[in-house]
Amino acid sequence: MTATQARPAPMTRGYRFELVKLLSQWRVRLLLLVCWIAPAAFVAAVSQQSMLPTDTVFGRWMHATGWSGSLVVLDFACSWALPLLTSLVAGDVFAAEDRLGTWRHLLVAVRSQRRIFVAKSLASLTVILLLVAGLAASGIAGGLLAVGNEPLVGLDGHLLAPADAAGTVLLAWACVLAPTLAFAAVGLLGSVALGRSPMGLLMPALLALVLQLAQLLPLPVAVQLALPSHAFLAWRGLFTSPAQTGPLLIGLVVSLVWAVVAAALAYRLFLRRDFTDLAYDGSGRRVLVTGVVPLAGLVALTFAVVAAVTPAHGSGIERAKLQDSLATVYAHLYRLQARELGRPDVTEARLKTTASCDKGSVRVADEGPGNDWRCVVSWHLPGVDSVGSAIYQLDVTADGRYVADGDGPKEVNGYFQVRTPTGDAPNPLWQFDGDVDLLADTPEGTVHASHASAPARPGNPSWASSRTYRPQNPPPRG
Amino acid sequence: MQRSPVVRARGITKSFGDVVALDGVDLDVASGQVHGLVGPNGAGKTTLLGLLLGLAVADGGSLEILGTPVGRALAVPDGVAGFVDGPGLYPSLTARQNLTALASLRGNADGGAVERALEQVGLTDVADDRIRGFSLGMRQRLGLAAALLTTPRLLVLDEPANGLDPAGKRHVHRVITELAANGTAVVLSSHRMDDLAALCSEVTVLATGRVVFSGPLSKLAAESGELDYRLLTSDPAAAHQVAEGVTGLGVLPGRDGPDADVLVVRGPVPALDELVVRLVGDGVAIRELAPVVTPLEAAFLALTGAGGGPGPTEGGTR
Ligand SMILES: Nc1ncnc2c1ncn2[C@@H]1O[C@H](COP(=O)(O)OP(=O)(O)O)[C@@H](O)[C@H]1O
Ligand SMILES: [Mg+2]
């Protein structure tokens, strides 16, 4: 009888074992419970309040439709919840074996480092997907039960029919899976690199913090797009018509590249590890050399590629684009208000809305984020031969999102509510959100033409054509 | 039964930095044999067993297990089971979940194996409890159950007696005896000779990384030389006088405390006989006369240099 060198354990068994181990941890169970319950409770509770989270995109529409609740949850999840969830799951999946001193037993049982890596990665991915699915499903269920399946006002003011809203909300949740994967891979890397040290658990959270700080800065578009967290913001572009697919697609690709690179670094580090050394505790220097430096290099490389192959330049927020966006939102919301008030319907084409913006004092260039944008919106009053105008203060953030706050005249945007035949309703023109496409190329001077010729453009949103969701091609670039 | 060699180690060395943990160690274990590895703490037992399990690689020497040379870490032939440094179980899982997962990873999905193993180590009643709450002894037994899942041909256990209560010890003894009867080679370690005496047919005594004895237990006992004996009589002072008069018998310095009445003498068996005869003749009643430590223990202490004078007087009060 000769002894045979044993074959590795089948992958599916290793995967199932890793999943069982993860799901047996009280921390993971608690996270699952919270992710499947908390968003529903939050959305249902907030929807009943008079104060809405208007700082968050779609927060102001939480009374109007159940779909906005899920988007508020999504926006919140993108800033904190998703990086933290990946921290707690992926950031611990390797380190847990170090803490328990079970590495050598596991290696002897499975007999393949590669399979252990894959099984652990897939198992933590599964748990993360379960958590994200919970956040999405729970927020949607809470909104639909508490408010109902109503049309959703997009970030350019156009109305999405309930079916479109449903599709787009689900698509947005699917899109944020890409940056979530990137953070999960960074978590795996931290977990492999740092062993028992709790710093590994903090890697994705730390990365999230750094990226959040970066997003507060007025960084050039090419840099913003090169960061793995950009897709956490770019999904908002799905809620304009046409959709702002450029930044979103780049964000998705960058996130996926990060996921692959960070996972590959983790894999390489894992294969090189000496498991016979029980005193393994990771080291700061190794993390720096094997993790931080390559990923920083990746940011630099992505930046160079994005700057070279996309029309990204400067802050991406130019006067012409902002005016164009504001005029579009205003026209859509004006129509919405007219319907609310029971007035005869008007078309955007008849309104011929234009906007004229100015940033800060005369000496400041009309470009870039800031809360010192001041705009005058003008439109042609239906049936009358005169031009209406209204003033808005805009707070534009570096990611292209802005809040327009009405600054008169009172009859248009001075009141929080309007009196409708069926009682008081929120005034959509009082304060509203918008989103500038950071990559769109709108040369100065052609801004208003698109509205004047609106009926001729097939992709132009209108009350009637927005009933079905159609993914749009990226806007034409010059 | 044909006794084929299961472990054959020659001149094994292993160092950790400046510390030489194993220094030219030879080890032979045949199938069906229960082989004890004894030595004081730090002698290198765990290191040697770790090499057998493939958890580390020796710096020098040759190691063959089940006829296969072992050279790469974490790659041992099928049929080797056991553990050092704790059984490597997951505290958040139940005993049964731990075993089921291991059975599945090793490819024997037969559900009966898990139940049988639990039964063998006496843990069936607590099979569905999370092992977070298990005592050290229960974990040791569960670790043994995990090793049994594969019907091993070489079983390696590091200090299996640690933390075991008498009932647990009985289970472990029975399992080991049965395995050996079926041809499995078993290597187990202990820092105490008495744990192994009942189980092992052969022992290897290690001291600071070197083999100081290797062979059958009977041969080890013969190495013990003169033993120390406790003598408790009705008249300690008279007994002391008589003992000093017997040629070939030494009287060790007495002690204070509760053992002040106990006399410790050292000498060959004929001298002891002489002492007993004289005491009885002088009208001194003998209440107890017993070796301070067993011959095996004495040999072990003498070989490893861990003794130094009469050992602690264990188990002698009556
Ligand atoms: N991983 C290690 N790193 C450094 N020294 C070690 C390591 N493992 C064992 N040693 C040293 O090797 C010697 C033998 O240890 P060990 O085999 O655990 O002894 P035993 O099990 O007989 O008590 C000791 O001096 C111990 O300090
Ligand atoms: Mg030891």
Side-chain angles (χ1 to χ4, degrees):
Chain A
M1 253 198 314
T2 55
T4 50
Q5 200 66 48
R7 288 222 309 277
M11 184 69 96
T12 50
R13 294 185 181 165
Y15 166 74
R16 205 163 29 180
F17 184 34
E18 294 303 331
L19 205 55
V20 167
K21 279 193 276 186
L22 273 174
L23 293 177
S24 73
Q25 291 176 17
W26 66 264
R27 187 183 54 213
V28 171
R29 293 183 178 187
L30 189 69
L31 281 179
L32 278 169
L33 201 70
V34 168
C35 286
W36 280 86
I37 290 177
F42 167 81
V43 171
V46 172
S47 302
Q48 311 301 319
Q49 314 242 307
S50 58
M51 285 291 287
L52 292 175
T54 49
D55 285 348
T56 311
V57 277
F58 298 103
R60 68 184 75 253
W61 297 112
M62 280 182 78
H63 284 158
T65 170
W67 296 109
S68 48
S70 175
L71 293 172
V72 169
V73 172
L74 175 59
D75 202 65
F76 178 74
C78 286
S79 42
W80 287 115
L82 293 177
L84 281 180
L85 292 181
T86 57
S87 273
L88 288 171
V89 179
D92 191 49
V93 67
F94 289 90
E97 308 280 348
D98 283 298
R99 273 201 315 277
L100 297 172
T102 40
W103 268 127
R104 305 196 298 185
H105 301 271
L106 188 63
L107 284 159
V108 167
V110 178
R111 299 188 188 93
S112 159
Q113 251 161 288
R114 191 181 66 83
R115 291 191 184 199
I116 290 180
F117 185 88
V118 175
K120 279 192 176 294
S121 304
L122 288 181
S124 40
L125 192 65
T126 308
V127 171
I128 289 170
L129 288 181
L130 279 175
L131 295 172
V132 176
L135 289 174
S138 173
I140 291 173
L144 292 184
L145 290 178
V147 185
N149 183 19
E150 305 294 332
L152 173 73
V153 175
L155 286 177
D156 61 353
H158 86 287
L159 213 56
L160 287 90
D164 300 346
T168 316
V169 166
L170 291 177
L171 187 62
W173 275 101
C175 285
V176 304
L177 285 178
T180 304
L181 282 186
F183 276 83
V186 170
L188 293 181
L189 179 60
S191 188
V192 171
L194 286 158
R196 258 179 312 184
S197 151
M199 276 304 294
L201 206 66
L202 291 179
M203 277 263 283
L206 218 59
L207 178 68
L209 184 70
V210 169
L211 293 174
Q212 289 259 314
L213 291 176
Q215 280 165 3
L216 292 178
L217 302 173
L219 294 173
V221 186
V223 176
Q224 290 187 42
L225 291 176
L227 299 177
S229 56
H230 191 71
F232 274 153
L233 298 168
W235 58 265
R236 294 170 182 170
L238 290 171
F239 292 87
T240 61
S241 178
Q244 300 170 12
T245 43
L248 179 59
L249 287 178
I250 292 175
L252 292 179
V253 170
V254 170
S255 293
L256 292 176
V257 168
W258 263 69
V260 170
V261 170
L265 290 172
Y267 179 62
R268 199 181 58 153
L269 198 59
F270 184 68
L271 288 196
R272 288 186 181 178
R273 185 176 158 179
D274 174 15
F275 286 96
T276 57
D277 176 11
L278 291 182
Y280 183 85
D281 244 343
S283 82
R285 213 172 67 88
R286 182 175 26 224
V287 173
L288 205 67
V289 173
T290 57
V292 177
V293 170
L295 291 178
L298 182 59
V299 173
L301 184 72
T302 325
F303 164 72
V305 172
V306 170
V309 306
T310 71
H313 53 86
S315 66
I317 296 164
E318 292 125 34
R319 189 166 76 133
K321 278 203 250 179
L322 195 59
Q323 292 177 162
D324 189 13
S325 167
L326 183 65
T328 308
V329 185
Y330 187 86
H332 287 315
L333 292 179
Y334 188 93
R335 257 186 102 172
L336 182 68
Q337 190 198 46
R339 275 178 75 110
E340 264 185 2
L341 293 172
R343 291 188 191 149
D345 193 16
V346 286
T347 62
E348 285 83 353
R350 295 255 316 274
L351 284 171
K352 291 193 195 122
T353 313
T354 60
S356 161
C357 294
D358 182 38
K359 185 167 189 286
S361 61
V362 271
R363 264 180 282 164
V364 178
D366 292 332
E367 204 253 349
N371 60 3
D372 53 351
W373 283 96
R374 193 175 167 81
C375 303
V376 179
V377 180
S378 309
W379 70 98
H380 293 266
L381 291 168
V384 194
D385 200 17
S386 65
V387 175
S389 72
I391 301 171
Y392 283 91
Q393 295 279 358
L394 265 62
D395 183 355
V396 188
T397 50
D399 54 29
R401 186 215 165 181
Y402 63 88
V403 176
D405 199 357
D407 206 12
K410 280 208 298 273
E411 307 77 56
V412 180
N413 59 26
Y415 299 106
F416 171 60
Q417 289 188 316
V418 288
R419 191 149 296 150
T420 73
T422 53
D424 283 352
N427 179 4
L429 297 176
W430 178 66
Q431 197 184 58
F432 53 85
D433 296 298
D435 198 26
V436 177
D437 186 342
L438 296 176
L439 279 185
D441 214 15
T442 316
E444 188 99 34
T446 63
V447 183
H448 319 307
S450 63
H451 295 285
S453 62
R457 282 184 48 174
N460 199 55
S462 76
W463 200 258
S465 71
S466 67
R467 206 158 296 139
T468 54
Y469 171 73
R470 262 175 297 157
Q472 308 279 347
N473 292 325
R477 294 189 186 118
Chain B
M1 185 191 313
Q2 195 220 335
R3 297 215 145 186
S4 53
V6 173
V7 178
R8 187 170 182 282
R10 287 294 172 269
I12 297 283
T13 56
K14 175 82 186 169
S15 304
F16 298 98
D18 291 342
V19 181
V20 180
L22 295 175
D23 185 4
V25 171
D26 295 349
L27 182 69
D28 286 284
V29 184
S31 67
Q33 188 184 75
V34 182
H35 195 104
L37 204 57
V38 249
N41 288 326
K45 307 180 294 290
T46 304
T47 307
L48 181 55
L49 296 184
L51 295 179
L52 298 186
L53 289 170
L55 301 179
V57 186
D59 298 336
S62 73
L63 177 61
E64 268 181 31
I65 293 174
L66 295 164
T68 311
V70 176
R72 210 155 52 85
L74 305 167
V76 281
D78 230 354
V80 180
F83 57 92
V84 300
D85 293 324
L89 301 162
Y90 294 90
S92 60
L93 303 183
T94 66
R96 184 176 278 119
Q97 279 174 322
N98 265 295
L99 294 188
T100 310
L102 279 177
S104 142
L105 285 182
R106 288 172 183 158
N108 51 346
D110 159 29
V114 169
E115 299 309 319
R116 266 197 310 281
L118 283 168
E119 172 85 51
Q120 274 178 290
V121 298
L123 289 178
T124 308
D125 291 346
V126 291
D128 290 316
D129 294 355
R130 288 171 185 247
I131 67 165
R132 177 169 291 134
F134 276 24
S135 71
L136 174 63
M138 285 158 90
R139 283 172 204 229
Q140 295 267 38
R141 277 147 73 192
L142 190 58
L144 177 59
L148 295 176
L149 291 173
T150 52
T151 11
R153 292 168 60 202
L154 170 62
L155 177 65
V156 175
L157 296 173
D158 191 23
E159 312 257 359
N162 270 8
L164 285 185
D165 57 11
K169 224 171 252 188
R170 257 199 315 281
H171 276 289
V172 172
H173 277 212
R174 190 174 339 129
V175 169
I176 291 174
T177 320
E178 275 174 19
L179 281 175
N182 289 322
T184 302
V186 183
V187 183
L188 28 103
S189 72
S190 176
H191 59 282
R192 292 177 48 157
M193 197 61 230
D194 49 356
D195 287 335
L196 297 179
L199 265 173
C200 299
S201 44
E202 294 212 8
V203 287
T204 295
V205 182
L206 279 181
T208 57
R210 284 169 208 256
V211 176
V212 291
F213 173 87
S214 192
L217 276 175
S218 53
K219 202 172 136 217
L220 179 62
E223 305 232 342
S224 64
E226 291 181 351
L227 293 177
D228 293 348
Y229 291 86
R230 286 164 51 90
L231 175 63
L232 188 60
T233 59
S234 55
D235 186 348
H240 194 277
Q241 245 177 351
V242 172
E244 298 214 304
V246 178
T247 44
L249 200 69
V251 180
L252 299 176
R255 273 186 279 178
D256 296 334
D259 271 358
D261 285 352
V262 174
L263 205 61
V264 179
V265 296
R266 177 184 292 169
V269 175
L272 277 176
D273 293 345
E274 172 77 21
L275 174 66
V276 171
V277 171
R278 287 215 201 160
L279 283 175
V280 173
D282 286 6
V284 179
I286 298 165
R287 293 178 181 164
E288 187 188 320
L289 178 63
V292 171
V293 293
T294 62
L296 284 175
E297 197 73 26
F300 169 63
L301 293 175
L303 286 167
T304 58
T313 52
E314 282 175 34
T317 41
R318 204 179 302 158

